[in-house]
Amino acid sequence: MVYENPDGVRIGLEIHIQLNKLKTKMFCGCSTDYHNAAPNTHTCPVCLGLPGALPVLNKKVVEAAIKVGLALEGEIAEETQFHRKNYFYPDLPKGYQITQYDFPIVSNGKIVIEGEDGEHTVGITRAHMEEDPGKLVHIGSIEKSKGVLIDYNRSGVSLIETVTEPDMRSPKEARRFLDKFRNILEYLDVFDGNLEGAMRVDANVSVHWGTRVEVKNISSHKGVERALLYEIMRQKNVIRRGGKVSQETRHFDEGRGVTLSMRTKEEAEDYRYFREPDLMPMRITDWIPAVKETLPELPDAKRTRFIEQYGITDMHAKSLTSKIMLADFYEGVCAKGVDPKIAATWTADVFLGELNYRDLAISSYDGEKIGFIHAKDPRIKNSIKVSDMVELVNLFAEGKISDRAAVEVIRTMLDTAEEKTPSQIIEEKGLFKAEDDLVTKAVAETIAENEAAVQDYLGGTEKSLNFLVGQVMKKTKGTADAKTARDLIIKELKG
Ligand code: ZN
Ligand code: MN
């Protein structure tokens, strides 16, 4: 199968990632743990840009950037240096941003995604280090705001800006790219994607191989997909009406789902880039071997290993490795000697499915329990122990509880704060599988009490059988195995 790209869509992304797992900012000792702090409390003369303050580079930023570069299979520059990007805006107290220009630390990388036509490679043009500006807080909406407040807690936090080639051919591919990239970054342990502002995306998009338009500051992966769908439709409409798409920067209005014109795009010369005189160029070739040692097993490699080691399907392996914490949790469960295939089903299909349904995101794993937190309301959080999943998988594997009961146990563990083991929940809710004679008794009663349905079934109405099975389940309070009940009814009526 070859994807023809009928609308000539080309999408490139520019992604700012906050290295929010580093304890301190890029050029000063201020803590990066500001998400629950009062505004302007994590600041100092350096990140406030006060006259005379000089930057001291945090070595960990360079190591993290090398790590990212290696994971993207990119080239790491032998020598790299910082530039000043000049622009005047209140979020930038120095009047310039320390960034990189013509010697980025990483170039020519790639990420392989599942594209429209199977595996698809997206080129990474470059990745460079730069400092985060402060945060503007608009009072009310951005268009009608009466005033703007500035919080410099974010000022000077380390960023890696990654620029891709325009290799994505649909909004779906762009979203898959972002999901994969986030997954890799979390494996590298440099980044927590759950924190606000951790990953900020600008997208370039053109149709019919034409002029590209930039859409700025999209906050979520889903937002990127929506913004691109809208923008592609808008550009196609402009062309259909005989117009021309103009090169411009647009802003995505998340609430209305539309893109709005902001300004014509700046050219690089507008920024008057020049070398940062306060920081020396660095030769970093010697650093690479040590950083390489710290590289973990990456998602694709882990996926292949899971299939081989645990004998699970590619679908399960993909889903289990989509989050490093979930992959570790699954291996923690398997290490206790459970059947890895059954554990994969209950972890990847049921547990993860129920989390997604509740808008819960996995947020921690400490070797004993996996934690999750609500995507929009951080007060809602909970965890499940490895030992609980082990017990559940074993009870199911030994035939002591039904499918339905096992799902019920997982739901209960997600929804209640009390720490109860699966057996306690099963006991309290009476979920143990009904004894065979109890099911046999329920089948006999059901047949005796539902003459009409029995006759319909014998007359060829198949769905009456479902009704009868339903009655048996009701009598046994859902503890019967549905297939057993079904087989028993058929045996009873048709011999
Ligand atoms: Zn500071
Ligand atoms: Mn940037």
Side-chain angles (χ1 to χ4, degrees):
M1 183 179 67
V2 175
Y3 181 65
E4 301 281 355
N5 198 0
D7 298 320
V9 171
R10 276 185 301 186
I11 298 167
L13 300 173
E14 259 182 52
I15 307 138
H16 285 88
I17 307 133
Q18 254 187 359
L19 299 175
N20 52 22
K21 285 239 172 148
L22 302 188
K23 297 229 165 357
T24 56
K25 293 186 182 181
M26 193 160 173
F27 300 114
C28 62
C30 290
S31 159
T32 57
D33 185 16
Y34 63 81
H35 285 85
N36 297 308
N40 297 305
T41 52
H42 288 46
T43 57
C44 72
V46 172
C47 55
L48 287 174
L50 300 186
L54 289 172
V56 178
L57 177 62
N58 181 348
K59 189 180 173 192
K60 293 228 157 34
V61 180
V62 183
E63 289 167 348
I66 294 174
K67 213 164 153 183
V68 171
L70 292 172
L72 299 178
E73 296 175 52
E75 293 157 22
I76 311 297
E78 281 182 26
E79 187 167 298
T80 192
Q81 65 180 38
F82 289 100
H83 273 70
R84 289 184 179 184
K85 179 182 181 178
N86 297 277
Y87 65 92
F88 184 72
Y89 208 60
D91 63 3
L92 201 64
K94 296 195 296 293
Y96 59 85
Q97 178 189 35
I98 304 179
T99 179
Q100 299 198 275
Y101 187 50
D102 48 8
F103 295 97
I105 188 159
V106 179
S107 50
N108 292 323
K110 66 173 186 192
I111 289 181
V112 178
I113 59 163
E114 211 167 299
E116 297 282 355
D117 49 356
E119 282 198 347
H120 180 69
T121 302
V122 176
I124 307 286
T125 318
R126 57 183 278 155
H128 68 250
M129 304 172 280
E130 65 181 32
E131 57 178 338
D132 211 349
K135 188 181 174 190
L136 297 185
V137 183
H138 296 265
I139 305 169
S141 76
I142 193 164
E143 292 101 15
K144 291 180 195 152
S145 184
K146 289 207 180 91
V148 180
L149 304 168
I150 311 171
D151 180 3
Y152 289 114
N153 282 351
R154 201 179 77 181
S155 174
V157 169
S158 315
L159 298 177
I160 291 184
E161 177 177 333
T162 306
V163 182
T164 78
E165 293 294 305
D167 285 342
M168 286 149 278
R169 304 160 296 179
S170 68
K172 195 165 78 187
E173 285 190 349
R175 183 166 177 184
R176 286 195 183 149
F177 175 86
L178 290 170
D179 289 343
K180 183 84 179 263
F181 190 27
R182 175 180 164 156
N183 186 15
I184 293 171
L185 292 166
E186 287 181 340
Y187 269 62
L188 297 177
D189 203 26
V190 294
F191 164 85
D192 177 355
N194 290 331
L195 290 177
E196 196 240 320
M199 199 167 181
R200 307 196 291 272
V201 181
D202 302 334
N204 293 302
V205 55
S206 60
V207 299
H208 304 304
W209 319 105
T211 309
R212 64 184 205 150
V213 170
E214 189 178 13
V215 185
K216 278 266 187 207
N217 279 321
I218 321 172
S219 61
S220 66
H221 297 191
K222 206 169 165 193
V224 170
E225 198 174 6
R226 281 175 64 220
L228 288 169
L229 281 169
Y230 174 85
E231 184 54 25
I232 288 167
M233 183 189 70
R234 188 192 68 82
Q235 291 183 21
K236 285 204 280 190
N237 284 339
V238 168
I239 293 166
R240 194 175 302 131
R241 293 197 202 98
K244 273 183 101 175
V245 173
S246 44
Q247 187 177 336
E248 61 176 349
T249 299
R250 299 177 71 87
H251 156 81
F252 181 55
D253 183 327
E254 200 112 38
R256 286 191 284 161
V258 300
T259 64
L260 304 162
S261 186
M262 277 168 77
R263 53 183 150 89
T264 51
K265 192 169 164 41
E266 304 85 351
E267 300 297 325
E269 343 22 311
D270 295 332
Y271 291 122
R272 295 155 41 240
Y273 279 99
F274 62 85
R275 271 178 59 177
E276 167 59 69
D278 292 335
L279 294 161
M280 297 293 282
M282 294 169 285
R283 295 198 61 86
I284 52 173
T285 315
D286 294 349
W287 299 28
I288 298 172
V291 177
K292 219 174 222 163
E293 294 278 301
T294 69
L295 269 193
E297 181 183 42
L298 291 168
D300 287 344
K302 202 183 278 293
R303 182 172 161 185
T304 308
R305 176 170 66 79
F306 274 19
I307 295 169
E308 284 166 9
Q309 185 174 342
Y310 299 114
I312 60 177
T313 63
D314 184 45
M315 277 264 280
H316 278 158
K318 189 182 160 208
S319 157
L320 290 168
T321 56
S322 66
K323 281 261 166 202
I324 177 83
M325 293 170 275
L326 184 67
D328 289 346
F329 174 70
Y330 172 70
E331 293 210 272
V333 172
C334 289
K336 302 284 182 219
V338 303
D339 181 328
K341 286 188 193 133
I342 299 178
T345 304
W346 290 96
T347 309
D349 298 341
V350 185
F351 172 60
L352 195 57
E354 294 287 331
L355 283 184
N356 289 339
Y357 177 73
R358 286 164 176 71
D359 244 348
L360 294 167
I362 292 168
S363 55
S364 64
Y365 175 66
D366 62 3
E368 275 173 25
K369 56 182 190 299
I370 186 164
F372 34 87
I373 188 164
H374 196 274
K376 299 206 178 66
D377 184 353
R379 285 168 304 175
I380 304 175
K381 54 183 166 194
N382 208 339
S383 61
I384 283 191
K385 287 187 186 141
V386 169
S387 59
D388 290 340
M389 185 57 93
V390 168
E391 194 186 345
L392 181 77
V393 170
N394 284 335
L395 284 168
F396 179 78
E398 292 158 11
K400 290 189 180 139
I401 51 171
S402 68
D403 241 84
R404 225 175 94 169
V407 173
E408 177 75 25
V409 170
I410 289 195
R411 287 183 180 157
T412 310
M413 289 197 291
L414 295 186
D415 292 335
T416 54
E418 304 121 85
E419 296 204 350
K420 284 188 180 143
T421 65
S423 335
Q424 281 170 326
I425 296 170
I426 289 163
E427 189 95 25
E428 273 171 33
K429 298 201 165 203
L431 294 172
F432 272 114
K433 215 181 225 177
E435 299 297 329
D436 287 352
D437 47 348
L438 195 77
V439 184
T440 312
K441 186 168 156 260
V443 167
E445 281 174 19
T446 299
I447 290 172
E449 290 163 13
N450 296 281
E451 182 61 26
V454 168
Q455 288 311 322
D456 284 350
Y457 171 60
L458 292 173
T461 312
E462 273 296 317
K463 70 171 189 241
S464 294
L465 180 60
N466 295 336
F467 170 78
L468 293 169
V469 173
Q471 293 306 109
V472 174
M473 297 308 286
K474 214 162 149 187
K475 280 183 186 295
T476 58
K477 298 200 178 70
T479 58
D481 180 62
K483 194 180 170 300
T484 312
R486 192 183 185 87
D487 292 346
L488 276 173
I489 295 171
I490 296 173
K491 200 173 143 214
E492 205 55 38
L493 295 178
K494 294 195 163 168

